[in-house]
Each structure stands twice: as C-alpha cells, then as structure tokens.
Amino acid sequence: MTFALPYSGGRHADPVPGAPALEVRDLRASHPGMEFPALDDVSLRVPPGTRVALAGPNGSGKSTLLKAVAGLLAPESGSIRVYGNAVGACHHRVAYLPQRSEIDWRFPASLRKLVATGRYVHLGWLKRPGREDHELVHDVLIRLGLETLAERRIRHLSGGQQQRALLARSLVQGADLLLLDEPLAAVDAETKERISDVVSELWQSGKTLITATHDLESLSSEFDAAVYLREGRQTVPETGAFVGLPLR
Amino acid sequence: MNWLLEPLQYSFMRTGLVAAVVIGATCAVLGVYVVLRGMAFIGDALSHTVLPGLAAAYLLGLNLLGGAIVAGLATAFGVGWLSRRQSLREDTAIGITFTGMFALGILMMSTVSSFRDFSHILFGNILGVTPQNLAILIALSLFVLLCLLLFHKELELTSFDPTHAEAIGLKTDRIRYGLLILLALTVVTGIQAVGVVLISALLITPAATASLVTRSVPRMMLLSAMFASASGLAGLYASYYLNVSSGAAIVLSCTAAFLVVFAAKSILPGFQKSA
C-alpha cells in the first residue's frame, strides 16, 4: 500500500505472539446515564480459533460485552486486550456485526454499497474502493447468495437478507476476531443455513468467533465454549448445560 | 427568445444569474445530506444564527460575509458542545442557541435607526451581488463541493451506520462537526440569494424533490442541483418581469417544482423511483 491515512491515526499494531485472541479482566462498563453497570466483574480468556457463545436473557449484558470489545463503549474499570493489544490498536482485525436495529435501513444505499463499507477500515481517508475491493465484495455476495440483489436498496431487503448483508460486510473486512450479535435472530431458514455454513467455514480457517445467542439448544454442537450472563455478571449455568472449554 | 436575452444586457442580472446557479447548486447538493440525515432543524437554525454576525459586521463596518461565517461556525460548535454526552437533547440545544442568537441579532439591528438597511440580510438581494462577492461565493461553493466529494464515503457511512463507523475508528462526531461547518459556509453563501429567513428552503426543498425521483445519493445530488439552479433562474426572470422579490420568487420556484413532482408521483401510477 503506497498511500494510506487510516481513521484511527496510523496505528496498526501486530498481534502479540502467544497472546489470546481476547482477554477480558474484571470488566465493569455502563451505558451513559444508567445508574447500574451493564457489566460487572466479567473476566474471560479466549484462545485464537475458538467459538464462544454468549448466552443469557435480554438485558443480561451480551451486547454490551461485544460493544466494549469492539471499542464502542469505554470500560469503567478492568481491561480488554485483543491479540495482546489495547482495544482500537488494530481496527481491521476485529469485525463487529451489530443487531439489525443499529442501522438506518431507510438510507438510499445499495446492498453492494453496504457490504463494501467493510473495506473502509483498510482504505481510510480519501481512498475509494478499488478493483480488488470490488472483487472481494462480489465473491462474498456470491458466498452468501446475495449476488442477484447487489443493486437493491437496503430498505427493500428482507430481514434475513439484511442479516446476510451484515455478515457479508464482516467477511470482506477480513478480520481475525468476529463479534456477532445475534446473527440468527428472527431470520428465515435459508439465511440460517447460509450463515451457519459461513460461520463454520470461518472457524475452520482459524478465525475466532464470539456470538451472542438466545438459542441454548445448539450450543454444544456449534460452539467450543459458552459464557452465561445474567444482569451483567457471569453466572454458573444450571446443571447439565453446555460449558465446553474453560475460558479463565 | 428575446425575452430570455433581454435581461442579460444588464451586468447585475448576469452576475445575479451566475450567483443564483452557483448558490442553488451548492445548497442543493449539501441539502441532500441535510434531508437524509434529518438535519432540517439545524439547517434552519444555522441560517438564523448568522444574523448577529451579519449585524455586528455591519455596525462595525467589517466584511459581512466574514461576520456571518464566524457566527455560523460559533453556532455549529455551540450546539455540539451543549448537546455533548447527551446532557441536553440536541434539538433542545439547537432551539436555545438558535433563538438566543437570532434575538441578539435583532437587538443589534434595533440599535440602528432604520431597519430598512437590513432588509437585504433578511430577504436576500441577489441582484446586489458584486463581481468581487461572486468570486468569493464561487470559491466557498467550490470548497464545500470539494469537501463533499473527498469525504463522500465517510459522510455516507456515518449517515446510515454510525456504529460501524465508530467500530472502525472513524469518529462520527468529527464528521458531524465537519458537516455543520460546511452547512454554516453554505448558509452564508445562500443568504445573498434568498436571505436569512428563506435559506433553509434552498437546502431542503430541491433535495426533497430529488428524493422523490431517485434513490441513489449521487443522482439525488445531481437532480437536486438541477432543480435548484433551474429554480434560481426561473425566480430571477420572474422577479425581473413581474417586479417581485427575487428571493421569494426563487424559493417559490423550488416549491412549485416540488409540488409538480409530488403530484405527478401521486397521480401517475407507473411513476416509480428508479434504482
């Protein structure tokens, strides 16, 4: 790359050798204006290449944890290290897939445009997506069965198509750690299958995946470990529930 | 064709026509973001808050444009500062800044014996644009359009997905401030054409008209600029032949274009937005 002005001010830290993909220690975080912390005393250590499920009811802090790791919410205390570096030291290594409600779907953008924004972290200021970026977007659209919808406005996509578009964007980013916030919430069967296939391909290629989920039944088949949250704290699941690898 | 050429023999008409096209196009292109990001209120507020800047510059004998730019930038930062960390809702912050600054402007104007001196500020006077003013207008417009071109990708992303922008290290606040600064500069250029009171029409109406016809941001910008420039020309000719206020005629031309497109959309069943 001959010329680049990254958004984060020019730092692209390399992973610290031997460091876990994610290490959270004694994390406490609050949403602005809220009295009680949304997360308290959360600690976990995720080795690279692990699929971790964040399980728990609505409001238990799953999304907040993902947001804190993505750098969208500053911790009040405790620490978060991603590949041994501070949050934000290398934005392109972490992809965050938000809940669908975070996006203004009425905006007149095409599906192709939405997916291409996954390349922006590599482009930075002033650079436009080039031929390589477009080819990458094209390939990912095919992989998720979205190629015929590429020029469609995002407001005219179904919920499942929107969800696949968001996953497509995370894929073109080429991140090593993927934070997925309920990627299978309220989607059709085709989307569910496509997303599950892509997620397991990602895992096979060595990516680390942290997924917030409601679906407790598929935990043991689709994840290597599960973290249970309740009211912002890690809890011990009921007996018989899937735990998997210890993440301490 | 003679009626088209006749006004062009006057140099003030020629300057005015060029100014109308330049101002209309710039307001309209930026207006697309104002409409898409739901910033109509701040656009209107910015136009009113430049009044004290204009009045102060007039009273002190300084450059009016400079005074307006300072007041516009002060508003942009003031609103951002008041509403930071959600201590106040943004529309509340805008309401407080906007009315306070406008009242300050009126207070300053009332110290002068005649309000008439200020009518060109309130209602615009595009035929009073001098060639020097026109050069400044063109420079400001080119600056605004260049910024929109260079930062299009970031403006677009922060408009529909600020979360992703933040997640990749792009500070949405800074983009917002930048956009408010461009808005302040644009408002200042537009005041020459239609005045403080009507400037938000140039920001909103052509962009809203374009949004009825197309669903692609670049095409919306192009169409919006065309609607606004055509309205600028139509308004100026109307004011020449009918001897009415040029600012009001320009704004009403924009309104008419909007109503025609809106009606066509409602009546014609096959009238669909192109992708």
Side-chain angles (χ1 to χ4, degrees), chain A residues 8 11-16 19-24 68-73 75 78-94 177, chain B residues 167:
Chain A
S8 47
R11 293 174 305 150
H12 270 325
D14 287 322
V16 173
L22 172 67
E23 184 163 34
V24 176
V69 174
L72 298 169
L73 189 69
S79 69
I80 304 173
R81 312 290 289 179
V82 178
Y83 292 101
N85 296 307
V87 168
C90 193
H91 287 288
H92 73 257
R93 223 177 288 287
V94 182
L177 172 63

Side-chain angles (χ1 to χ4, degrees), chain B residues 7-175:
Chain B
L8 297 180
Q9 60 187 298
Y10 303 105
S11 71
F12 64 86
M13 274 301 282
R14 290 197 298 271
T15 317
L17 283 168
V18 175
V21 170
V22 170
I23 292 168
T26 312
C27 287
V29 171
L30 187 69
V32 168
Y33 277 120
V34 173
V35 166
L36 290 177
R37 292 172 73 116
M39 292 170 76
F41 186 39
I42 180 91
D44 195 31
L46 268 177
S47 61
H48 285 71
T49 55
V50 300
L51 191 63
L54 288 166
Y58 178 84
L59 293 175
L60 298 171
L62 301 173
N63 185 290
L64 290 184
L65 212 54
I69 290 175
V70 169
L73 296 183
T75 309
F77 284 104
V79 168
W81 184 73
L82 279 178
S83 57
R84 78 196 184 290
R85 289 183 215 101
Q86 282 127 25
S87 49
L88 270 185
R89 276 179 56 112
E90 193 189 72
D91 56 348
T92 310
I94 294 169
I96 293 167
T97 318
F98 153 33
T99 47
M101 294 280 273
F102 197 57
L104 182 64
I106 293 172
L107 193 88
M108 286 165 139
M109 281 163 45
S110 67
T111 61
V112 181
S113 51
S114 162
F115 251 50
R116 208 166 51 91
D117 293 345
F118 292 105
S119 72
H120 64 281
I121 293 177
L122 289 174
F123 305 115
N125 180 18
I126 200 159
L127 297 180
V129 174
T130 62
Q132 291 92 319
N133 270 345
L134 184 65
I136 298 174
L137 284 185
I138 292 175
L140 279 175
S141 295
L142 286 178
F143 175 75
V144 170
L145 293 174
L146 183 70
C147 287
L148 289 180
L149 182 71
L150 289 178
F151 301 112
H152 177 69
K153 156 168 138 280
E154 288 78 17
L155 281 164
E156 207 174 42
L157 175 61
T158 54
S159 299
F160 73 87
D161 195 353
T163 312
H164 181 68
E166 290 282 349
I168 63 173
L170 175 60
K171 299 273 177 281
T172 49
D173 272 3
R174 290 186 201 166
I175 297 291

Side-chain angles (χ1 to χ4, degrees), chain A residues 25 37 45 94-95 114 155 173 185 207 210 220 224 227:
Chain A
R25 265 197 224 145
R45 188 186 160 89
V94 182
L114 173 70
R155 74 191 302 172
Q173 195 178 329
K207 309 284 189 190
I210 302 182
S220 59
D224 305 310
V227 173

Side-chain angles (χ1 to χ4, degrees), chain B residues 1-7 236-244:
Chain B
M1 289 313 278
N2 211 19
W3 67 272
L4 264 181
L5 296 175
E6 191 202 306
L236 264 192
Y237 274 97
S239 87
Y240 179 85
Y241 282 108
L242 307 174
N243 197 23
V244 291

